[in-house]
Amino acid sequence: MSAPQLPKVAGIDPAVPTPAHTVAPVPARPAPAPTHAPAPGTVIQDRLAGWVSDLTTLHELTERLARTRDLEDSLREVLSAGAALVGARRGLVVLEPADGLGPAQTVGLGLGHADLGHIETVPRSATPYGRILDGLPDAQGGAEQLPDPDQAPGQDGYAAPVDPRHREVAARLGYAASYALPLAAEPLGRLGAAVWLYDEHTEPTERQRHLTGLYVRYAAEHVARVLEVTRARTRLATVAEELLPSRLPRVAGVRLAARHRTGPRGGGDWYDALPLPEGALGLAVGSVTGSGPSAVAAMGRLRASLRAYAVMEGEDPVAVLSDLELLLRLTEPARSATALFAYCEPARRKIILAGAGHAPPLLIGEHRTEYVETSLSAPLGMLSCWEAPSVEVDPAPGETVLLYTDGLLQRTGDSMDRAFARLHAAAASVPRTVRDDPAGLCDHILRTVLPEGRDETDSEEDIVLLAARFD
């Protein structure tokens, strides 16, 4: 009869030899059953705790998403939250609305521009998210396992053939699996697709899939709303730009440059430069109260009217603004506007200007940087009859006259006195290399007065700069 072996300890055979037995070994007793089974209430409490935890997580993620207003920020938040839910550290979301109206945009998480470029070289039909974007019948998203290079076809982990370019890009970027979901919302339909990349052969659990699906459904609705707002802003900005000069005129003796930044809701700031008889030039800037489509439309009407008055009596800026004020008071009595019109004779380097509640021009040169002294006057439409004297300015050769709207000052967030001082300091610090270039001068002032890209942010205020350098 064979004797039983002693159990191994930590995988090492015992050194003591097995003793001989003359009787049969006593069979081992079965382990006693647990005396206390979990109470039904405990199981329910655990499930409720899990549900509360999931709901809390979804609430926090959706709250963070709801605070985003920009389209790119929304897409980045969707990508980051989804990565946390599915347990991935990299991914990308592709916005490609099915209606073809755009905008098309790709945002990556943990992927640089070069990495995104490599992924875009993979045939779209070879990836789940690509099939979602192309609207193929099997475009349901889900998990995808890429082949393990250490295994041969047919072994576990090599579930299906993969496009050679897809295998090459996956090996270069170091990901082995992916999980993709469509972004879709009514009434726009398919918006795009999101895909998260795993470094190893894995996929999200059933719980992770459920939570991610709930989050993505809400996220798609939010992205759709932000997309509609973005499209509306783009259309409004396009209309506003079309109402402004498509190009500045060329007049002997003077060089012109302009910069215009439109707020997200569209504002009423405008500028104009038009050649006048006998080699003269008319320069104008203005701002209509309010924002949105009505302000943009009023701005277009006001600018068109000023052009007509400037052609008829441009040599008298006071008369031009008086006619404009009368028109505004008769046609739009509930609206007011500021304006400044300058009649320039480049050959004589002479400027006659008048302003209606507008900020004074800035004279910038090598030997002086100073504001032009204009008389205080009310905006157009504020009084029963507007009138203010004109001012004559004689710029020296090489000096630049800068016209601007008060949006430049208000975007600084400072008081008006400090904002004027900031603008003066920026103009006085224009480098010599760009002093003779009106476009470079405008860019320098924008960067200096509004640093850190604040001239491009979604401020409610429009910005207009119009620079005229006299030879």
Side-chain angles (χ1 to χ4, degrees):
M1 182 180 296
S2 61
Q5 299 291 328
L6 290 178
K8 296 180 180 180
V9 178
I12 303 175
D13 293 331
V16 181
T18 304
H21 291 276
T22 57
V23 295
V26 178
R29 291 183 178 181
T35 57
H36 298 288
T42 304
V43 176
I44 295 176
Q45 289 179 356
D46 291 342
R47 289 181 179 177
L48 287 176
W51 293 341
V52 170
S53 176
D54 292 344
L55 290 174
T56 302
T57 300
L58 288 176
H59 175 73
E60 293 176 352
L61 294 177
T62 53
E63 283 290 314
R64 284 170 45 184
L65 179 63
R67 288 193 291 267
T68 60
R69 295 292 182 266
D70 180 75
L71 186 58
E72 183 172 347
D73 290 343
S74 299
L75 295 177
R76 291 190 184 279
E77 180 59 34
V78 171
L79 196 56
S80 177
L85 289 174
V86 302
R89 68 181 186 89
R90 292 186 293 173
L92 68 151
V93 58
V94 182
L95 183 70
E96 195 173 293
D99 58 11
L101 300 179
Q105 192 171 359
T106 301
V107 175
L109 174 67
L111 299 171
H113 290 292
D115 299 332
L116 295 175
H118 288 311
I119 293 176
E120 290 176 352
T121 63
V122 178
R124 287 162 65 114
S125 60
T127 61
Y129 80 93
R131 292 191 288 273
I132 292 172
L133 296 174
D134 289 339
L136 298 180
D138 61 341
Q140 300 299 323
E144 178 191 36
Q145 297 288 331
L146 281 86
D148 189 340
D150 297 331
Q151 292 179 317
Q155 292 182 329
D156 292 340
Y158 201 155
V162 179
D163 181 82
R165 180 57 183 167
H166 195 182
R167 289 198 300 269
E168 178 185 347
V169 171
R172 174 176 295 185
L173 300 184
Y175 66 88
S178 66
Y179 184 66
L181 286 177
L183 294 175
E186 296 296 336
L188 297 179
R190 189 183 72 252
L191 302 175
V195 57
W196 294 275
L197 307 176
Y198 293 99
D199 297 341
E200 300 175 351
H201 286 82
T202 185
E203 62 182 49
T205 63
E206 186 64 29
R207 174 174 171 270
Q208 289 175 325
R209 292 171 187 254
H210 177 66
L211 289 179
T212 308
L214 292 175
Y215 175 78
V216 167
R217 281 199 293 271
Y218 170 82
E221 296 289 342
H222 177 78
V223 170
R225 291 191 294 270
V226 176
L227 178 62
E228 289 287 5
V229 173
T230 301
R231 287 177 171 178
R233 290 177 177 177
T234 301
R235 290 192 292 266
L236 191 59
T238 301
V239 172
E241 291 295 335
E242 290 297 325
L243 292 174
L244 296 175
S246 57
R247 61 179 181 178
L248 296 173
R250 294 185 178 182
V251 178
V254 64
R255 284 189 289 166
L256 302 173
R259 294 292 183 268
H260 181 225
R261 302 286 188 270
T262 304
R265 294 190 298 174
D269 286 16
W270 53 276
Y271 69 94
D272 205 351
L274 66 157
L276 297 175
E278 300 180 0
L281 174 70
L283 301 177
V285 293
S287 177
V288 176
T289 56
S291 60
S294 63
V296 173
M299 175 265 287
R301 291 191 295 268
L302 205 65
R303 172 179 171 263
S305 301
L306 186 140
R307 291 177 69 91
Y309 298 145
V311 171
M312 293 187 295
E313 47 192 2
E315 68 279 358
D316 186 357
V318 173
V320 171
L321 293 185
S322 297
D323 293 342
L324 195 64
E325 194 274 338
L326 179 60
L327 176 70
L328 185 67
R329 182 155 44 87
L330 294 176
T331 59
E332 301 186 59
R335 193 181 298 277
S336 63
T338 66
L340 189 147
F341 179 73
Y343 177 80
C344 308
E345 298 181 56
R348 300 171 56 189
R349 286 194 301 275
K350 178 181 177 181
I351 302 175
I352 303 175
L353 61 89
H358 203 84
L362 190 57
L363 194 59
I364 306 170
E366 185 176 358
H367 302 294
R368 61 173 175 173
T369 299
E370 59 188 32
Y371 288 104
V372 176
E373 292 293 337
T374 57
S375 59
L376 295 176
S377 60
L380 304 176
M382 295 291 290
L383 301 177
S384 58
C385 182
W386 176 89
E387 187 174 354
S390 61
V391 177
E392 186 172 325
V393 182
D394 298 311
E399 289 187 332
T400 300
V401 176
L402 180 70
L403 311 182
Y404 55 93
T405 58
D406 58 2
L408 175 66
L409 306 174
Q410 294 177 5
R411 278 205 191 191
T412 62
D414 296 335
S415 64
M416 293 305 290
D417 289 341
R418 294 188 61 182
F420 275 117
R422 180 186 292 233
L423 175 57
H424 184 277
S429 65
V430 174
R432 185 182 298 271
T433 55
V434 299
R435 191 178 295 276
D436 295 336
D437 178 18
L441 184 145
C442 290
D443 292 336
H444 170 82
I445 288 178
L446 280 176
R447 289 193 303 266
T448 307
V449 176
L450 302 172
E452 301 176 357
R454 280 187 290 171
D455 62 312
E456 300 289 351
T457 57
D458 283 347
S459 171
E460 297 298 325
E461 301 294 335
D462 286 7
I463 297 177
V464 163
L465 293 179
L466 179 59
R469 182 193 180 277
F470 289 85
D471 296 333

